[in-house]
Amino acid sequence: MANDTLNAAARAMTALANAKIRETNVKKESFDDFIRRRRNALEKQRSTISLYTSPILVMTYFLAYVIHQVKSAAEYARSRKWMLTAIPVLGVLIQFTLLVEGAHKEIIYRVQNLVFWYCYWICLGIASSIGLGTGLHTFVLFLGPFIAEVTWAANKCGNLDFEIFGPNRFRCQPMVTESNSISVWSVLNKVQWESFFWGLGTALGELPPYFVARAAALSGSRSEELAQLNALLEQSPERMTMKEKLLMTTHRLLHKLGFFGIFLFASIPNPLFDLAGIICGQFLIPFSTFFGATFLGKAVVKSSIQTIIVILLFSQDTIETILNITQDHIPYVHDKLENMIQRQTRMLRREKGKDAYDIGPVRCQ
């Protein structure tokens, strides 16, 4: 009996000693290591969440964010009581001026139509550049055909004295009886604000990648795109594809040129410009530097270049030159090309049959 008691006590002491040995062998995790491990686990978990794989979860977080922003805006307005008074008073004044008859009513409607018109082009510009390269190409679908339509209308009327939006759009003025020469610069001046505000929208559409990368940098993490770029830095140039070499070139130029590098990449059609926003956000480039260069490049330079190209392609002289060349060298192509241009003209003008104007200028009666 005593031997059994002694053996049990010995086994208990041995187990306790082994437990202490294991405890001393295990390295305690520091707080910084725990935070790092937890952050990596959360980043890995977030990488598996998308609108396609977890639509309910994504929409729940989106609605929660919208509600939070609305509450923040309400609290901001509540803290500034002049806003709570000024906004209703301004709304009442605008409604009163619209109800009262007078010459001012036409001016208000005119200003309202202009605001909606230019906001329309800003929204199209945002849709063109937002979404990390997956946005809608609104220049090809909207702005380009609009500029071509203005160019054709100018050739028809022989002048630029016509409206480009509203119920009387593209209607020649009946008092104009002589056909004047239409230059590229005059047509560009006619559509410059539409092109400018579309370019402004494309600049605004480049801000989400910048802010996302900036928020990731401030939180101590890195975006997936920048992680891929860092992996490319460790590879040899011989093993890179053409796209990867372009990414590396973009990265080096942005680091070397700064503001002028952003301006250069924003001034030309560049599908890799989203990477510029990610790099600038990750390295905490000031917002004024990034948006200033992007705004000048896209709204001033790039949109103007694209507009001039469309005007040159659809001007009367260019079309006649192309038709003459094809008629002299490729008659078969000339007939098909002329029919296609006439058909496209009717589609853009929303006219049918004999009422559609020809390629050459038609004198307004």
Side-chain angles (χ1 to χ4, degrees), residues 31 65 118 153 173 183 185 226 250 278 323-324 343 359-360:
F31 182 74
Y65 176 77
Y118 292 128
Q173 297 297 325
S183 65
W185 304 113
L226 200 61
T250 303
I278 295 173
L323 290 177
N324 291 334
R343 184 170 59 254
I359 298 172

Side-chain angles (χ1 to χ4, degrees), residues 189-226:
N189 185 63
K190 188 72 173 179
V191 298
Q192 64 177 346
W193 289 114
E194 286 75 13
S195 177
F196 171 81
F197 283 106
W198 178 84
L200 173 61
T202 60
L204 294 175
E206 301 293 349
L207 294 181
Y210 170 81
F211 283 120
V212 170
R214 183 181 179 85
L218 293 175
S219 65
S221 60
R222 288 181 177 270
S223 61
E224 181 179 355
E225 292 80 4
L226 200 61

Side-chain angles (χ1 to χ4, degrees), residues 163-270:
E163 298 288 339
I164 58 176
F165 71 95
N168 297 322
R169 58 181 303 183
F170 303 117
R171 290 187 180 179
C172 300
Q173 297 297 325
M175 69 284 298
V176 179
T177 58
E178 295 184 359
S179 176
N180 301 320
S181 60
I182 304 298
S183 65
V184 174
W185 304 113
S186 61
V187 180
L188 176 63
N189 185 63
K190 188 72 173 179
V191 298
Q192 64 177 346
W193 289 114
E194 286 75 13
S195 177
F196 171 81
F197 283 106
W198 178 84
L200 173 61
T202 60
L204 294 175
E206 301 293 349
L207 294 181
Y210 170 81
F211 283 120
V212 170
R214 183 181 179 85
L218 293 175
S219 65
S221 60
R222 288 181 177 270
S223 61
E224 181 179 355
E225 292 80 4
L226 200 61
Q228 296 176 357
L229 185 61
N230 291 332
L232 290 177
L233 291 173
E234 301 177 356
Q235 294 183 7
S236 60
E238 293 78 10
R239 300 176 56 185
M240 293 183 185
T241 63
M242 182 59 65
K243 180 181 179 181
E244 292 173 345
K245 291 180 180 179
L246 290 175
L247 289 175
M248 295 304 302
T249 303
T250 303
H251 180 264
R252 293 192 184 96
L253 287 177
L254 288 175
H255 272 281
K256 186 179 297 184
L257 300 178
F259 177 90
F260 296 100
I262 301 172
F263 174 76
L264 175 64
F265 279 95
S267 301
I268 58 177
N270 182 12

Side-chain angles (χ1 to χ4, degrees), residues 2-19:
N3 292 332
D4 294 339
T5 304
L6 292 174
N7 291 333
R11 286 194 298 269
M13 293 295 292
T14 303
L16 181 61
N18 292 333

Side-chain angles (χ1 to χ4, degrees), residues 104-137:
H104 66 282
K105 197 170 183 179
E106 182 178 355
I107 298 176
I108 293 176
Y109 279 121
R110 179 69 177 178
V111 172
Q112 181 181 357
N113 291 334
L114 285 174
V115 170
F116 283 119
W117 176 248
Y118 292 128
C119 287
Y120 166 76
W121 291 110
I122 292 176
C123 293
L124 288 179
I126 294 174
S128 179
S129 61
I130 201 169
L132 293 176
T134 60
L136 185 67
H137 299 287

